[in-house]
Amino acid sequence: MGISFDKVDGATWLKFDVQPAANAVSDADRATKLKDPGFGRVFTDHMAIVRYNQTDGWHGARVESRANFPLDPAAAVLHYAQEIFEGLKAYVREDGGVNLFRPDANAKRFRNSADRMAMAPLPEAVFIEAVEQLVRIDRAWIPSGEGSLYLRPFMVASEIFLGVKPSAEYIFAVIASPVGSYFKGGPAPVSIWVSENYTRAAIGGTGAVKCGGNYAASLRAQAEAISHGCDQVVFLDAVERRYIEELGGMNIFFVFEDGSLLTPPLGTILPGITRDSIIALAKNKGTQVREEPYTLDQWRADAASGKLKEAFACGTAAVISPIGQVRSASGDFTINGGAAGPVAMGLRKQLVDIQYGRAPDPHNWIRKVL
């Protein structure tokens, strides 16, 4: 018997039926794949999967061989985009154990995303258990050194119907992809293009939700950035087209000459877990952190005057990416001479050391899986 919809809570969990893959990749082939896995191109042997319907609730929790699962052509996700996802990583400690970084925060955000998208809420304990079970069975896929195992929990609406209403059936799954160091030779400053023609989110929209549609809406602007020789795109607010919001898939911070940090306020942007962690680490050191609006004109003027010392983007994949150059139709400018700054690199090292278990964890962010 599954969980009834009206009794779902964060303390509820399901027992997973673990079925090791019969066609697992050989040790030799896995070693070859792990030499240079890239990002999101290589996948592990297994996946975790749980299903939901209104009669049985969440049920059928399994870890099984990674494979296609059938979707009817009329499945709701294909027509009305009821879909959400998360991203987190597993890291190997020096003693050979494995850490997860703040999976409880991912589970909570996943539940909040489900609520906004009118999807069945997944118990946070089930989310964490699914992730842990997958990490345990695919431990051998975690690269050594600065590599990690990127975990992608996601949920799609699977009810077969054509009509605009919340689906009555869902599939929750977790897949995993080994990834190497995001930066070869250390983090290099990125160039970003200011999108003045496209916006990512508006008040009351889904900007604070990790749903696929947000990222699809950013792709045209990202293509525009690439056509202008930039690595990433940064969006302005949808109302006045003046205030910096976030990159296509990362939050942004500004570092000033007095040592303070500024980051755009939440509401229309994603409440990034890396963003939240950086704020906490900075405050631990007595650094003033302001969450307040910041305009493109202010950014340009502060960079020119020297008041602004650094800018950096942050997210799960890259952790922290220093921003060296900003380009736009209204003019270009450089930050910190186009070089990575000490504040960004210091925060990055501090955060990565916690993730890999090389530094103390004062906020109890680490969850040891093995």
Side-chain angles (χ1 to χ4, degrees):
M1 184 66 180
I3 304 167
S4 63
F5 190 79
D6 60 349
K7 294 183 179 179
V8 172
D9 62 58
T12 307
W13 65 282
L14 296 173
K15 180 176 175 60
F16 280 75
D17 179 18
V18 179
Q19 298 289 332
N23 58 341
V25 172
S26 69
D27 291 346
D29 285 346
R30 184 175 58 247
T32 299
K33 291 176 182 290
L34 290 179
K35 286 180 180 177
D36 187 18
F39 192 94
R41 297 287 184 178
V42 176
F43 295 93
T44 66
D45 293 309
H46 300 87
M47 65 181 182
I49 189 165
V50 191
R51 296 178 183 272
Y52 174 88
N53 62 47
Q54 291 182 334
T55 300
D56 300 319
W58 290 104
H59 65 282
R62 293 172 58 85
V63 174
E64 59 190 29
S65 178
R66 182 181 178 275
N68 297 339
F69 44 75
L71 280 178
D72 190 278
V77 65
L78 302 177
H79 301 271
Y80 307 109
Q82 266 193 301
E83 180 271 349
I84 57 174
F85 68 96
E86 275 296 327
L88 66 160
K89 289 180 178 179
Y91 308 84
V92 177
R93 300 190 304 274
E94 292 179 353
D95 63 5
V98 178
N99 288 344
L100 288 174
F101 182 72
R102 303 191 66 180
D104 55 327
N106 290 97
K108 181 178 179 180
R109 188 171 66 182
F110 194 78
R111 188 182 175 102
N112 290 340
S113 292
D115 180 69
R116 175 61 182 86
M117 300 297 286
M119 303 172 77
L122 181 78
E124 293 170 27
V126 175
F127 178 104
I128 294 172
E129 183 69 14
V131 168
E132 290 190 349
Q133 289 285 355
L134 186 58
V135 170
R136 290 189 187 101
I137 198 167
D138 280 336
R139 162 66 178 82
W141 281 94
I142 307 179
S144 58
E146 291 295 305
S148 55
L149 188 65
Y150 181 80
L151 298 149
R152 172 53 63 87
F154 64 98
M155 180 161 61
V156 299
S158 55
E159 184 181 1
I160 301 168
F161 77 100
L162 295 178
V164 183
K165 72 172 187 67
S167 176
E169 298 176 8
Y170 297 93
I171 299 171
F172 167 73
V174 188
I175 56 176
S177 175
V179 297
S181 176
Y182 195 84
F183 297 103
K184 302 290 185 182
V190 297
S191 58
I192 62 173
W193 174 257
V194 180
S195 178
E196 297 175 89
N197 297 319
Y198 303 99
T199 60
R200 185 182 181 277
I203 296 171
T206 59
V209 173
K210 206 164 177 65
C211 63
N214 288 347
Y215 295 81
S218 74
L219 296 179
R220 183 65 189 87
Q222 177 65 25
E224 184 179 69
I226 293 171
S227 73
H228 285 88
C230 294
D231 302 302
Q232 288 282 345
V233 62
V234 64
F235 290 96
L236 303 177
D237 73 287
V239 179
E240 297 186 45
R241 306 290 182 94
R242 298 174 56 222
Y243 296 101
I244 304 299
E245 292 223 311
E246 63 182 336
L247 278 64
M250 305 175 78
N251 297 121
I252 189 168
F253 279 85
F254 305 94
V255 184
F256 296 92
E257 60 184 354
D258 64 359
S260 67
L261 299 182
L262 183 150
T263 190
L266 299 178
T268 56
I269 68 173
L270 187 72
I273 293 165
T274 306
R275 173 189 182 275
D276 183 70
S277 303
I278 289 169
I279 291 172
L281 292 178
K283 288 183 176 180
N284 281 356
K285 296 188 294 184
T287 300
Q288 180 188 11
V289 183
R290 292 171 285 144
E291 296 181 67
E292 60 187 42
Y294 191 60
T295 69
L296 175 60
D297 287 344
Q298 286 176 296
W299 191 3
R300 180 182 286 109
D302 290 344
S305 69
K307 180 180 178 181
L308 179 77
K309 293 301 183 183
E310 301 178 40
F312 60 87
C314 65
T316 299
V319 187
I320 287 178
S321 297
I323 297 170
Q325 185 181 42
V326 180
R327 304 186 66 187
S328 72
S330 56
D332 306 343
F333 58 94
T334 300
I335 302 165
N336 193 37
V343 174
M345 292 301 91
L347 285 167
R348 185 181 190 279
K349 183 180 187 306
Q350 188 179 2
L351 190 53
V352 169
D353 283 349
I354 292 173
Q355 290 169 338
Y356 282 92
R358 299 190 292 252
D361 174 25
H363 295 279
N364 294 317
W365 285 336
I366 295 302
R367 188 178 179 101
K368 294 183 178 181
V369 181
L370 295 167

